């Protein structure tokens, strides 16, 4: 099973992808997480990507396609994977098509997460993430047991730099301009499945599970 989780920032793609890692064992290939890891480790890719992430802009296509190309060849992707946050431009979608064809594989579905903008701002501005293990919380919707401390590993929770209100606005603008054309692209390919992601995380999980089986 190879599926793309598509949608604006903060629509819950990462939250749901993590649930499928747990329940089905499909790895979550999050380009955002890969870039954050590269920035933390100060790799050449991290040094190039940092400015774009901080400003809510897209990292250039050739860099992004390069990290995905390396990642999908790893052994854990043999039985399928979820692409979370990739592709984000038509050029990336075209590159993915070629990459999968070269590997003799194909895309099964593209799940579009839909959430109204006001709700997205609330979700992102209240998000807190664990710097050590990557667990994700929300100050109101899924708070940690002890404020500012990760339930999973006890490390400190932080707010992502790009979850400041002004950067959220920029990310939404970038999504509308550069990523939303993918909706028509995948509709034409007959792969698009739309999910109302404004519901509770449990309800969204049920809906995505049904969509992936159809
Ligand atoms: P990335 O990390 O991919 O950010 P994003 O797409 O903007 O997505 P988010 O992680 O912000 O949101 P999400 O949909 O995963 O929501 P989540 O589940 O966390 O990318 C960051 C940057 O990297 C980009 O800006 C760009 O610079 C670069 N980049 C990445 N990929 C790239 C690419 N392909 N090309 C070029 N550049 C790229 O949920 C959000 C919050 O809501 C959480 O607090 C969660 O607890 C809460 N929540 C989730 N679901 C629910 C629910 N159902 N009800 C209530 N609360 C919920």
């Amino acid at each position: 099973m190879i599926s793309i989780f598509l949608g604006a920032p903060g629509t819950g793609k990462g939250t749901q992808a993590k649930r499928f890692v747990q329940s089905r064992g499909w790895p979550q290939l999050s380009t955002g997480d890969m870039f954050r890891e590269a920035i933390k480790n100060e790799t050449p890719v991290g040094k190039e990507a940092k400015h774009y992430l901080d400003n809510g802009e897209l990292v250039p296509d050739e860099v992004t396609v390069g990290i995905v190309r390396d990642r999908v060849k790893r052994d854990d992707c043999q039985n399928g994977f979820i692409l979370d946050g990739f592709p984000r431009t038509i050029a990336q979608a075209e590159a993915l098509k070629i990459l999968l064809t070269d590997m003799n594989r194909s895309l099964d579905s593209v799940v579009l997460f839909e959430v109204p903008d006001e709700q997205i701002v609330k979700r992102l501005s209240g998000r807190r993430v664990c710097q050590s293990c990557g667990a994700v919380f929300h100050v109101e919707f899924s708070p940690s047991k002890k404020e500012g401390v990760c339930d999973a590993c006890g490390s400190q929770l932080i707010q992502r730099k790009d979850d400041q209100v002004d950067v959220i606005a920029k990310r939404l603008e970038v999504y509308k301009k550069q990523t939303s054309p993918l909706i028509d692209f995948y509709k034409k390919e007959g792969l698009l499945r739309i999910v109302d992601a404004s519901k509770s995380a449990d309800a969204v999980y049920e809906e995505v599970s049904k969509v992936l089986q159809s």
Side-chain angles (χ1 to χ4, degrees):
M1 201 285 320
I2 301 178
S3 184
I4 293 171
F5 284 6
L6 176 68
T11 47
K13 306 177 298 290
T15 299
Q16 297 300 328
K18 283 186 180 64
R19 288 181 171 222
F20 285 98
V21 173
Q22 294 283 324
S23 62
R24 313 278 173 93
W26 298 320
Q28 168 199 12
L29 274 47
S30 158
T31 36
D33 286 349
M34 293 178 209
F35 286 132
R36 280 182 289 276
E37 186 67 20
I39 291 169
K40 201 162 118 189
N41 295 329
E42 297 183 0
T43 67
V45 166
K47 284 180 187 153
E48 182 165 3
K50 187 175 183 323
H51 161 84
Y52 296 100
L53 270 86
D54 285 350
N55 292 295
E57 291 162 6
L58 295 186
V59 178
D61 288 334
E62 58 278 16
V63 179
T64 309
V65 170
I67 60 165
V68 173
R69 189 181 292 122
D70 291 344
R71 182 63 186 85
V72 295
K73 288 181 183 150
R74 300 225 309 243
D75 283 351
D76 64 341
C77 291
Q78 295 281 341
N79 295 324
F81 48 87
I82 294 170
L83 288 161
D84 166 13
F86 178 90
R88 259 167 147 111
T89 62
I90 297 286
Q92 290 179 16
E94 300 282 13
L96 176 65
K97 218 177 190 178
I98 295 169
L99 180 60
L100 292 176
T101 306
D102 287 349
M103 293 170 74
N104 233 346
R105 305 187 73 169
S106 61
L107 200 52
D108 294 293
S109 57
V110 178
V111 183
L112 176 64
F113 287 62
E114 284 192 330
V115 175
D117 280 3
E118 322 79 73
Q119 213 173 323
I120 288 179
V121 175
K122 212 170 171 193
R123 284 188 186 184
L124 289 178
S125 53
R127 175 166 58 184
R128 298 293 180 272
V129 295
C130 176
Q131 257 181 322
S132 295
C133 73
V136 177
F137 300 87
H138 190 282
V139 289
E140 187 182 336
F141 307 132
S142 54
S144 56
K145 291 191 185 97
K146 191 172 168 203
E147 198 186 327
V149 178
C150 177
D151 289 351
C153 73
S155 300
Q156 198 197 347
L157 299 181
I158 56 147
Q159 182 173 30
R160 266 169 51 177
K161 243 187 193 169
D162 59 349
D163 281 347
Q164 308 286 342
V165 175
D166 53 333
V167 189
I168 294 172
K170 173 75 186 174
R171 286 160 68 199
L172 284 171
E173 188 190 313
V174 166
Y175 173 77
K176 279 170 193 148
K177 206 166 162 193
Q178 293 179 263
T179 306
S180 67
L182 290 177
I183 298 172
D184 265 350
F185 180 93
Y186 285 119
K187 208 184 268 174
K188 282 186 191 132
E189 304 235 325
L191 291 168
L192 196 76
R193 312 280 180 268
I194 300 174
V195 161
D196 175 2
S198 66
K199 298 179 187 163
S200 72
D202 286 346
V204 176
Y205 178 75
E206 288 299 315
E207 211 177 312
V208 177
S209 301
K210 278 187 203 148
V211 152
L212 293 181
Q213 273 154 18
S214 64

